[in-house]
Amino acid sequence: MGAAMETVSQAKSHGGVQGVYRHESKVTGTPMTFAVFVPPQAADGPVPVLWYLSGLTCTHANVMDKGEYRAAASAQGVIIVAPDTSPRGAEVPDEPDNWQFGSGAGFYLDATQAPYATHYRMYAYIMEELTALVAAAFPADMSRQGIFGHSMGGHGALTFALKHPDRFKSCSAFAPIVQPSTADWSRPALEKYLGADERAWRAYDAVALIEDGKRFPEFLVDQGSADPFLATGLRPELLERACEAAGIPLTLNLREGYDHSYFFISTFMTDHIAWHAARLKR
């Protein structure tokens, strides 16, 4: 894997390899850990890449341990990359008693406000540094990339796709925060990271990006009807209205009785991976 990247662990699973890796990030100024599952088809050459962005309080380990994605990824022949959700370390400013900000809550943006701007640069980290690392170290076909995520990670996936439709060929989300600039559990974080000028927040807000002219071929979203954050944090109807006004096809599945947990995510994980694979293999 090269001197720049340390292998933390590797295990065979569904014919492929589930690995965890660590490297020193120049972008965040901290060590960063991420997970990669490589399917057996990669032995014959590069395969498509599907990025999974986790939600608030999570690390790479949540989806790796509870997402139940490896059988589907192996069947479809796609690499799954799961970054962390924020920089971590004693030198990284944090609010330990606030689960909606700081460690575990990077919101996949590049902070501009002190003291957060030095380390909280998850947007550049994923788009630039980790992308280059994955391309160099794994049998990844970087011309076929998709992205999906959960909650805060669903927010990240939607915004990454809308800003980079040339790079990402598919995008889906589980219970995404569709308009973080107005949601009660994300608005305070955006102000701390990006400052008081709300115009700067629009670059990291899926609904605002669509209103401002960004487009993507189509989205798939699954949302549990019993999600306790549905009414105030997630509000998928805002994305539905924005997509309808912009002419963006959106498949929005309201799953009766499902909550916000990985029991929900793992139930529909196979559907999402198959949906991405169909588009990445065209």
PDB file of all heavy atoms in Angstrom, residues 81-117:
ATOM      1  N   VAL A  81     -15.819   2.717  -0.446  1.00  0.00           N
ATOM      2  CA  VAL A  81     -14.893   3.526   0.345  1.00  0.00           C
ATOM      3  C   VAL A  81     -15.686   4.266   1.411  1.00  0.00           C
ATOM      4  O   VAL A  81     -16.659   4.959   1.099  1.00  0.00           O
ATOM      5  CB  VAL A  81     -14.133   4.542  -0.520  1.00  0.00           C
ATOM      6  CG1 VAL A  81     -13.155   5.349   0.338  1.00  0.00           C
ATOM      7  CG2 VAL A  81     -13.388   3.845  -1.651  1.00  0.00           C
ATOM      8  N   ALA A  82     -15.285   4.126   2.673  1.00  0.00           N
ATOM      9  CA  ALA A  82     -15.974   4.778   3.786  1.00  0.00           C
ATOM     10  C   ALA A  82     -14.989   5.659   4.555  1.00  0.00           C
ATOM     11  O   ALA A  82     -14.222   5.162   5.384  1.00  0.00           O
ATOM     12  CB  ALA A  82     -16.593   3.739   4.716  1.00  0.00           C
ATOM     13  N   PRO A  83     -14.981   6.967   4.286  1.00  0.00           N
ATOM     14  CA  PRO A  83     -14.123   7.878   5.051  1.00  0.00           C
ATOM     15  C   PRO A  83     -14.653   8.094   6.465  1.00  0.00           C
ATOM     16  O   PRO A  83     -15.790   7.723   6.788  1.00  0.00           O
ATOM     17  CB  PRO A  83     -14.198   9.190   4.259  1.00  0.00           C
ATOM     18  CG  PRO A  83     -14.912   8.867   2.977  1.00  0.00           C
ATOM     19  CD  PRO A  83     -15.734   7.654   3.241  1.00  0.00           C
ATOM     20  N   ASP A  84     -13.868   8.747   7.298  1.00  0.00           N
ATOM     21  CA  ASP A  84     -14.336   9.209   8.588  1.00  0.00           C
ATOM     22  C   ASP A  84     -15.219  10.439   8.374  1.00  0.00           C
ATOM     23  O   ASP A  84     -15.309  10.980   7.267  1.00  0.00           O
ATOM     24  CB  ASP A  84     -13.151   9.533   9.497  1.00  0.00           C
ATOM     25  CG  ASP A  84     -13.491   9.508  10.983  1.00  0.00           C
ATOM     26  OD1 ASP A  84     -14.687   9.487  11.323  1.00  0.00           O
ATOM     27  OD2 ASP A  84     -12.555   9.524  11.802  1.00  0.00           O
ATOM     28  N   THR A  85     -15.840  10.911   9.465  1.00  0.00           N
ATOM     29  CA  THR A  85     -16.761  12.038   9.374  1.00  0.00           C
ATOM     30  C   THR A  85     -16.144  13.370   9.774  1.00  0.00           C
ATOM     31  O   THR A  85     -16.775  14.419   9.605  1.00  0.00           O
ATOM     32  CB  THR A  85     -17.986  11.798  10.270  1.00  0.00           C
ATOM     33  OG1 THR A  85     -17.534  11.454  11.577  1.00  0.00           O
ATOM     34  CG2 THR A  85     -18.842  10.668   9.729  1.00  0.00           C
ATOM     35  N   SER A  86     -14.934  13.346  10.313  1.00  0.00           N
ATOM     36  CA  SER A  86     -14.267  14.587  10.731  1.00  0.00           C
ATOM     37  C   SER A  86     -12.822  14.286  11.049  1.00  0.00           C
ATOM     38  O   SER A  86     -12.454  13.126  11.265  1.00  0.00           O
ATOM     39  CB  SER A  86     -14.953  15.187  11.962  1.00  0.00           C
ATOM     40  OG  SER A  86     -14.601  14.450  13.127  1.00  0.00           O
ATOM     41  N   PRO A  87     -11.978  15.323  11.127  1.00  0.00           N
ATOM     42  CA  PRO A  87     -10.635  15.118  11.692  1.00  0.00           C
ATOM     43  C   PRO A  87     -10.751  14.851  13.184  1.00  0.00           C
ATOM     44  O   PRO A  87     -11.729  15.233  13.827  1.00  0.00           O
ATOM     45  CB  PRO A  87      -9.945  16.462  11.417  1.00  0.00           C
ATOM     46  CG  PRO A  87     -11.056  17.453  11.345  1.00  0.00           C
ATOM     47  CD  PRO A  87     -12.225  16.719  10.741  1.00  0.00           C
ATOM     48  N   ARG A  88      -9.748  14.195  13.721  1.00  0.00           N
ATOM     49  CA  ARG A  88      -9.756  13.852  15.149  1.00  0.00           C
ATOM     50  C   ARG A  88      -8.362  14.029  15.730  1.00  0.00           C
ATOM     51  O   ARG A  88      -7.362  13.900  15.037  1.00  0.00           O
ATOM     52  CB  ARG A  88     -10.224  12.403  15.364  1.00  0.00           C
ATOM     53  CG  ARG A  88     -11.632  12.144  14.844  1.00  0.00           C
ATOM     54  CD  ARG A  88     -12.031  10.682  14.957  1.00  0.00           C
ATOM     55  NE  ARG A  88     -13.263  10.438  14.218  1.00  0.00           N
ATOM     56  CZ  ARG A  88     -14.486  10.575  14.714  1.00  0.00           C
ATOM     57  NH1 ARG A  88     -14.641  10.949  15.988  1.00  0.00           N
ATOM     58  NH2 ARG A  88     -15.552  10.345  13.974  1.00  0.00           N
ATOM     59  N   GLY A  89      -8.315  14.317  17.026  1.00  0.00           N
ATOM     60  CA  GLY A  89      -7.039  14.454  17.715  1.00  0.00           C
ATOM     61  C   GLY A  89      -7.104  15.520  18.785  1.00  0.00           C
ATOM     62  O   GLY A  89      -7.986  16.388  18.775  1.00  0.00           O
ATOM     63  N   ALA A  90      -6.152  15.474  19.696  1.00  0.00           N
ATOM     64  CA  ALA A  90      -6.155  16.397  20.829  1.00  0.00           C
ATOM     65  C   ALA A  90      -6.030  17.842  20.384  1.00  0.00           C
ATOM     66  O   ALA A  90      -6.522  18.758  21.061  1.00  0.00           O
ATOM     67  CB  ALA A  90      -5.009  16.038  21.773  1.00  0.00           C
ATOM     68  N   GLU A  91      -5.391  18.071  19.236  1.00  0.00           N
ATOM     69  CA  GLU A  91      -5.185  19.433  18.763  1.00  0.00           C
ATOM     70  C   GLU A  91      -6.375  19.981  17.977  1.00  0.00           C
ATOM     71  O   GLU A  91      -6.404  21.161  17.613  1.00  0.00           O
ATOM     72  CB  GLU A  91      -3.927  19.495  17.888  1.00  0.00           C
ATOM     73  CG  GLU A  91      -4.075  18.885  16.498  1.00  0.00           C
ATOM     74  CD  GLU A  91      -3.974  17.370  16.438  1.00  0.00           C
ATOM     75  OE1 GLU A  91      -4.095  16.706  17.494  1.00  0.00           O
ATOM     76  OE2 GLU A  91      -3.784  16.844  15.333  1.00  0.00           O
ATOM     77  N   VAL A  92      -7.361  19.145  17.704  1.00  0.00           N
ATOM     78  CA  VAL A  92      -8.511  19.551  16.898  1.00  0.00           C
ATOM     79  C   VAL A  92      -9.577  20.173  17.803  1.00  0.00           C
ATOM     80  O   VAL A  92     -10.044  19.529  18.749  1.00  0.00           O
ATOM     81  CB  VAL A  92      -9.108  18.339  16.143  1.00  0.00           C
ATOM     82  CG1 VAL A  92     -10.339  18.753  15.349  1.00  0.00           C
ATOM     83  CG2 VAL A  92      -8.060  17.729  15.225  1.00  0.00           C
ATOM     84  N   PRO A  93      -9.980  21.418  17.561  1.00  0.00           N
ATOM     85  CA  PRO A  93     -11.008  22.048  18.410  1.00  0.00           C
ATOM     86  C   PRO A  93     -12.318  21.278  18.351  1.00  0.00           C
ATOM     87  O   PRO A  93     -12.723  20.807  17.291  1.00  0.00           O
ATOM     88  CB  PRO A  93     -11.150  23.454  17.834  1.00  0.00           C
ATOM     89  CG  PRO A  93     -10.607  23.361  16.442  1.00  0.00           C
ATOM     90  CD  PRO A  93      -9.550  22.305  16.472  1.00  0.00           C
ATOM     91  N   ASP A  94     -12.969  21.168  19.488  1.00  0.00           N
ATOM     92  CA  ASP A  94     -14.143  20.303  19.586  1.00  0.00           C
ATOM     93  C   ASP A  94     -15.075  20.847  20.662  1.00  0.00           C
ATOM     94  O   ASP A  94     -14.694  21.690  21.477  1.00  0.00           O
ATOM     95  CB  ASP A  94     -13.690  18.880  19.941  1.00  0.00           C
ATOM     96  CG  ASP A  94     -14.811  17.857  19.878  1.00  0.00           C
ATOM     97  OD1 ASP A  94     -15.824  18.117  19.203  1.00  0.00           O
ATOM     98  OD2 ASP A  94     -14.668  16.802  20.522  1.00  0.00           O
ATOM     99  N   GLU A  95     -16.315  20.362  20.644  1.00  0.00           N
ATOM    100  CA  GLU A  95     -17.270  20.599  21.719  1.00  0.00           C
ATOM    101  C   GLU A  95     -17.743  19.228  22.189  1.00  0.00           C
ATOM    102  O   GLU A  95     -18.721  18.690  21.658  1.00  0.00           O
ATOM    103  CB  GLU A  95     -18.441  21.453  21.229  1.00  0.00           C
ATOM    104  CG  GLU A  95     -18.046  22.875  20.852  1.00  0.00           C
ATOM    105  CD  GLU A  95     -19.232  23.724  20.424  1.00  0.00           C
ATOM    106  OE1 GLU A  95     -20.386  23.240  20.492  1.00  0.00           O
ATOM    107  OE2 GLU A  95     -18.994  24.877  20.014  1.00  0.00           O
ATOM    108  N   PRO A  96     -17.047  18.628  23.137  1.00  0.00           N
ATOM    109  CA  PRO A  96     -17.293  17.229  23.507  1.00  0.00           C
ATOM    110  C   PRO A  96     -18.732  16.925  23.920  1.00  0.00           C
ATOM    111  O   PRO A  96     -19.182  15.794  23.753  1.00  0.00           O
ATOM    112  CB  PRO A  96     -16.324  16.998  24.678  1.00  0.00           C
ATOM    113  CG  PRO A  96     -15.247  17.995  24.468  1.00  0.00           C
ATOM    114  CD  PRO A  96     -15.916  19.200  23.884  1.00  0.00           C
ATOM    115  N   ASP A  97     -19.438  17.906  24.439  1.00  0.00           N
ATOM    116  CA  ASP A  97     -20.810  17.674  24.885  1.00  0.00           C
ATOM    117  C   ASP A  97     -21.849  17.987  23.813  1.00  0.00           C
ATOM    118  O   ASP A  97     -23.053  17.922  24.080  1.00  0.00           O
ATOM    119  CB  ASP A  97     -21.095  18.517  26.140  1.00  0.00           C
ATOM    120  CG  ASP A  97     -20.219  18.109  27.317  1.00  0.00           C
ATOM    121  OD1 ASP A  97     -19.887  16.920  27.407  1.00  0.00           O
ATOM    122  OD2 ASP A  97     -19.866  18.995  28.121  1.00  0.00           O
ATOM    123  N   ASN A  98     -21.391  18.332  22.608  1.00  0.00           N
ATOM    124  CA  ASN A  98     -22.301  18.698  21.512  1.00  0.00           C
ATOM    125  C   ASN A  98     -22.115  17.707  20.373  1.00  0.00           C
ATOM    126  O   ASN A  98     -21.161  17.804  19.606  1.00  0.00           O
ATOM    127  CB  ASN A  98     -22.016  20.118  21.050  1.00  0.00           C
ATOM    128  CG  ASN A  98     -22.969  20.584  19.960  1.00  0.00           C
ATOM    129  OD1 ASN A  98     -23.882  19.868  19.553  1.00  0.00           O
ATOM    130  ND2 ASN A  98     -22.754  21.797  19.460  1.00  0.00           N
ATOM    131  N   TRP A  99     -23.043  16.759  20.228  1.00  0.00           N
ATOM    132  CA  TRP A  99     -22.900  15.720  19.209  1.00  0.00           C
ATOM    133  C   TRP A  99     -23.174  16.236  17.799  1.00  0.00           C
ATOM    134  O   TRP A  99     -22.892  15.555  16.811  1.00  0.00           O
ATOM    135  CB  TRP A  99     -23.821  14.543  19.510  1.00  0.00           C
ATOM    136  CG  TRP A  99     -25.300  14.854  19.487  1.00  0.00           C
ATOM    137  CD1 TRP A  99     -26.041  15.351  20.511  1.00  0.00           C
ATOM    138  CD2 TRP A  99     -26.219  14.665  18.403  1.00  0.00           C
ATOM    139  NE1 TRP A  99     -27.357  15.488  20.145  1.00  0.00           N
ATOM    140  CE2 TRP A  99     -27.496  15.077  18.849  1.00  0.00           C
ATOM    141  CE3 TRP A  99     -26.086  14.188  17.099  1.00  0.00           C
ATOM    142  CZ2 TRP A  99     -28.637  15.034  18.041  1.00  0.00           C
ATOM    143  CZ3 TRP A  99     -27.220  14.145  16.286  1.00  0.00           C
ATOM    144  CH2 TRP A  99     -28.465  14.554  16.750  1.00  0.00           C
ATOM    145  N   GLN A 100     -23.672  17.454  17.689  1.00  0.00           N
ATOM    146  CA  GLN A 100     -23.991  18.037  16.386  1.00  0.00           C
ATOM    147  C   GLN A 100     -22.886  18.956  15.864  1.00  0.00           C
ATOM    148  O   GLN A 100     -23.074  19.643  14.863  1.00  0.00           O
ATOM    149  CB  GLN A 100     -25.300  18.812  16.466  1.00  0.00           C
ATOM    150  CG  GLN A 100     -26.497  17.928  16.803  1.00  0.00           C
ATOM    151  CD  GLN A 100     -27.751  18.718  17.087  1.00  0.00           C
ATOM    152  OE1 GLN A 100     -27.703  19.861  17.523  1.00  0.00           O
ATOM    153  NE2 GLN A 100     -28.893  18.111  16.828  1.00  0.00           N
ATOM    154  N   PHE A 101     -21.738  18.956  16.527  1.00  0.00           N
ATOM    155  CA  PHE A 101     -20.656  19.840  16.107  1.00  0.00           C
ATOM    156  C   PHE A 101     -19.316  19.266  16.542  1.00  0.00           C
ATOM    157  O   PHE A 101     -19.205  18.631  17.587  1.00  0.00           O
ATOM    158  CB  PHE A 101     -20.835  21.240  16.710  1.00  0.00           C
ATOM    159  CG  PHE A 101     -19.789  22.217  16.253  1.00  0.00           C
ATOM    160  CD1 PHE A 101     -19.873  22.789  14.999  1.00  0.00           C
ATOM    161  CD2 PHE A 101     -18.706  22.521  17.063  1.00  0.00           C
ATOM    162  CE1 PHE A 101     -18.897  23.666  14.564  1.00  0.00           C
ATOM    163  CE2 PHE A 101     -17.728  23.401  16.638  1.00  0.00           C
ATOM    164  CZ  PHE A 101     -17.829  23.977  15.373  1.00  0.00           C
ATOM    165  N   GLY A 102     -18.295  19.530  15.733  1.00  0.00           N
ATOM    166  CA  GLY A 102     -16.939  19.124  16.088  1.00  0.00           C
ATOM    167  C   GLY A 102     -16.650  17.686  15.712  1.00  0.00           C
ATOM    168  O   GLY A 102     -17.026  17.212  14.641  1.00  0.00           O
ATOM    169  N   SER A 103     -15.990  16.963  16.600  1.00  0.00           N
ATOM    170  CA  SER A 103     -15.581  15.588  16.323  1.00  0.00           C
ATOM    171  C   SER A 103     -16.792  14.721  15.975  1.00  0.00           C
ATOM    172  O   SER A 103     -17.767  14.673  16.720  1.00  0.00           O
ATOM    173  CB  SER A 103     -14.863  15.013  17.539  1.00  0.00           C
ATOM    174  OG  SER A 103     -14.431  13.703  17.289  1.00  0.00           O
ATOM    175  N   GLY A 104     -16.716  14.060  14.820  1.00  0.00           N
ATOM    176  CA  GLY A 104     -17.832  13.251  14.340  1.00  0.00           C
ATOM    177  C   GLY A 104     -18.881  14.035  13.600  1.00  0.00           C
ATOM    178  O   GLY A 104     -19.875  13.465  13.138  1.00  0.00           O
ATOM    179  N   ALA A 105     -18.680  15.348  13.471  1.00  0.00           N
ATOM    180  CA  ALA A 105     -19.701  16.206  12.849  1.00  0.00           C
ATOM    181  C   ALA A 105     -19.055  17.242  11.945  1.00  0.00           C
ATOM    182  O   ALA A 105     -19.275  18.443  12.091  1.00  0.00           O
ATOM    183  CB  ALA A 105     -20.539  16.891  13.929  1.00  0.00           C
ATOM    184  N   GLY A 106     -18.258  16.778  11.001  1.00  0.00           N
ATOM    185  CA  GLY A 106     -17.555  17.688  10.097  1.00  0.00           C
ATOM    186  C   GLY A 106     -18.403  18.262   8.994  1.00  0.00           C
ATOM    187  O   GLY A 106     -18.005  19.222   8.318  1.00  0.00           O
ATOM    188  N   PHE A 107     -19.577  17.692   8.735  1.00  0.00           N
ATOM    189  CA  PHE A 107     -20.542  18.160   7.737  1.00  0.00           C
ATOM    190  C   PHE A 107     -19.984  18.223   6.314  1.00  0.00           C
ATOM    191  O   PHE A 107     -20.561  18.879   5.446  1.00  0.00           O
ATOM    192  CB  PHE A 107     -21.164  19.506   8.153  1.00  0.00           C
ATOM    193  CG  PHE A 107     -22.303  19.346   9.122  1.00  0.00           C
ATOM    194  CD1 PHE A 107     -22.067  19.388  10.489  1.00  0.00           C
ATOM    195  CD2 PHE A 107     -23.589  19.102   8.676  1.00  0.00           C
ATOM    196  CE1 PHE A 107     -23.110  19.210  11.405  1.00  0.00           C
ATOM    197  CE2 PHE A 107     -24.639  18.919   9.568  1.00  0.00           C
ATOM    198  CZ  PHE A 107     -24.405  18.974  10.928  1.00  0.00           C
ATOM    199  N   TYR A 108     -18.868  17.570   6.058  1.00  0.00           N
ATOM    200  CA  TYR A 108     -18.325  17.440   4.700  1.00  0.00           C
ATOM    201  C   TYR A 108     -18.168  18.787   4.003  1.00  0.00           C
ATOM    202  O   TYR A 108     -18.475  18.936   2.832  1.00  0.00           O
ATOM    203  CB  TYR A 108     -19.196  16.470   3.887  1.00  0.00           C
ATOM    204  CG  TYR A 108     -19.271  15.121   4.552  1.00  0.00           C
ATOM    205  CD1 TYR A 108     -20.401  14.724   5.263  1.00  0.00           C
ATOM    206  CD2 TYR A 108     -18.181  14.252   4.533  1.00  0.00           C
ATOM    207  CE1 TYR A 108     -20.457  13.504   5.914  1.00  0.00           C
ATOM    208  CE2 TYR A 108     -18.230  13.027   5.179  1.00  0.00           C
ATOM    209  CZ  TYR A 108     -19.375  12.662   5.867  1.00  0.00           C
ATOM    210  OH  TYR A 108     -19.412  11.448   6.508  1.00  0.00           O
ATOM    211  N   LEU A 109     -17.646  19.749   4.747  1.00  0.00           N
ATOM    212  CA  LEU A 109     -17.389  21.085   4.215  1.00  0.00           C
ATOM    213  C   LEU A 109     -15.963  21.501   4.540  1.00  0.00           C
ATOM    214  O   LEU A 109     -15.247  20.816   5.279  1.00  0.00           O
ATOM    215  CB  LEU A 109     -18.397  22.094   4.785  1.00  0.00           C
ATOM    216  CG  LEU A 109     -18.605  22.160   6.311  1.00  0.00           C
ATOM    217  CD1 LEU A 109     -17.458  22.859   7.037  1.00  0.00           C
ATOM    218  CD2 LEU A 109     -19.915  22.858   6.636  1.00  0.00           C
ATOM    219  N   ASP A 110     -15.541  22.631   3.985  1.00  0.00           N
ATOM    220  CA  ASP A 110     -14.259  23.235   4.329  1.00  0.00           C
ATOM    221  C   ASP A 110     -14.539  24.466   5.172  1.00  0.00           C
ATOM    222  O   ASP A 110     -15.039  25.483   4.678  1.00  0.00           O
ATOM    223  CB  ASP A 110     -13.483  23.622   3.075  1.00  0.00           C
ATOM    224  CG  ASP A 110     -12.901  22.431   2.344  1.00  0.00           C
ATOM    225  OD1 ASP A 110     -12.886  21.322   2.912  1.00  0.00           O
ATOM    226  OD2 ASP A 110     -12.453  22.608   1.192  1.00  0.00           O
ATOM    227  N   ALA A 111     -14.228  24.388   6.457  1.00  0.00           N
ATOM    228  CA  ALA A 111     -14.494  25.503   7.366  1.00  0.00           C
ATOM    229  C   ALA A 111     -13.638  26.705   6.990  1.00  0.00           C
ATOM    230  O   ALA A 111     -12.504  26.572   6.529  1.00  0.00           O
ATOM    231  CB  ALA A 111     -14.219  25.077   8.803  1.00  0.00           C
ATOM    232  N   THR A 112     -14.198  27.881   7.206  1.00  0.00           N
ATOM    233  CA  THR A 112     -13.485  29.124   6.923  1.00  0.00           C
ATOM    234  C   THR A 112     -13.222  29.950   8.178  1.00  0.00           C
ATOM    235  O   THR A 112     -12.520  30.954   8.114  1.00  0.00           O
ATOM    236  CB  THR A 112     -14.296  29.983   5.935  1.00  0.00           C
ATOM    237  OG1 THR A 112     -15.585  30.255   6.506  1.00  0.00           O
ATOM    238  CG2 THR A 112     -14.479  29.260   4.602  1.00  0.00           C
ATOM    239  N   GLN A 113     -13.806  29.552   9.304  1.00  0.00           N
ATOM    240  CA  GLN A 113     -13.722  30.342  10.526  1.00  0.00           C
ATOM    241  C   GLN A 113     -12.734  29.730  11.515  1.00  0.00           C
ATOM    242  O   GLN A 113     -12.695  28.521  11.706  1.00  0.00           O
ATOM    243  CB  GLN A 113     -15.110  30.419  11.182  1.00  0.00           C
ATOM    244  CG  GLN A 113     -16.187  30.985  10.277  1.00  0.00           C
ATOM    245  CD  GLN A 113     -15.876  32.386   9.793  1.00  0.00           C
ATOM    246  OE1 GLN A 113     -15.746  33.311  10.590  1.00  0.00           O
ATOM    247  NE2 GLN A 113     -15.769  32.557   8.485  1.00  0.00           N
ATOM    248  N   ALA A 114     -11.960  30.613  12.162  1.00  0.00           N
ATOM    249  CA  ALA A 114     -11.063  30.165  13.231  1.00  0.00           C
ATOM    250  C   ALA A 114     -11.897  29.762  14.451  1.00  0.00           C
ATOM    251  O   ALA A 114     -12.947  30.350  14.699  1.00  0.00           O
ATOM    252  CB  ALA A 114     -10.112  31.302  13.599  1.00  0.00           C
ATOM    253  N   PRO A 115     -11.451  28.737  15.174  1.00  0.00           N
ATOM    254  CA  PRO A 115     -10.235  27.936  15.003  1.00  0.00           C
ATOM    255  C   PRO A 115     -10.445  26.682  14.168  1.00  0.00           C
ATOM    256  O   PRO A 115      -9.586  25.796  14.162  1.00  0.00           O
ATOM    257  CB  PRO A 115      -9.898  27.570  16.445  1.00  0.00           C
ATOM    258  CG  PRO A 115     -11.252  27.353  17.070  1.00  0.00           C
ATOM    259  CD  PRO A 115     -12.151  28.393  16.452  1.00  0.00           C
ATOM    260  N   TYR A 116     -11.560  26.592  13.468  1.00  0.00           N
ATOM    261  CA  TYR A 116     -11.938  25.340  12.800  1.00  0.00           C
ATOM    262  C   TYR A 116     -11.331  25.176  11.406  1.00  0.00           C
ATOM    263  O   TYR A 116     -11.195  24.059  10.910  1.00  0.00           O
ATOM    264  CB  TYR A 116     -13.464  25.241  12.716  1.00  0.00           C
ATOM    265  CG  TYR A 116     -14.117  25.501  14.047  1.00  0.00           C
ATOM    266  CD1 TYR A 116     -14.841  26.676  14.284  1.00  0.00           C
ATOM    267  CD2 TYR A 116     -13.953  24.618  15.106  1.00  0.00           C
ATOM    268  CE1 TYR A 116     -15.404  26.935  15.514  1.00  0.00           C
ATOM    269  CE2 TYR A 116     -14.505  24.871  16.353  1.00  0.00           C
ATOM    270  CZ  TYR A 116     -15.233  26.033  16.554  1.00  0.00           C
ATOM    271  OH  TYR A 116     -15.771  26.304  17.779  1.00  0.00           O
ATOM    272  N   ALA A 117     -10.947  26.309  10.775  1.00  0.00           N
ATOM    273  CA  ALA A 117     -10.519  26.260   9.380  1.00  0.00           C
ATOM    274  C   ALA A 117      -9.246  25.447   9.175  1.00  0.00           C
ATOM    275  O   ALA A 117      -9.015  24.927   8.079  1.00  0.00           O
ATOM    276  CB  ALA A 117     -10.333  27.677   8.852  1.00  0.00           C
TER     277      ALA A 117
END
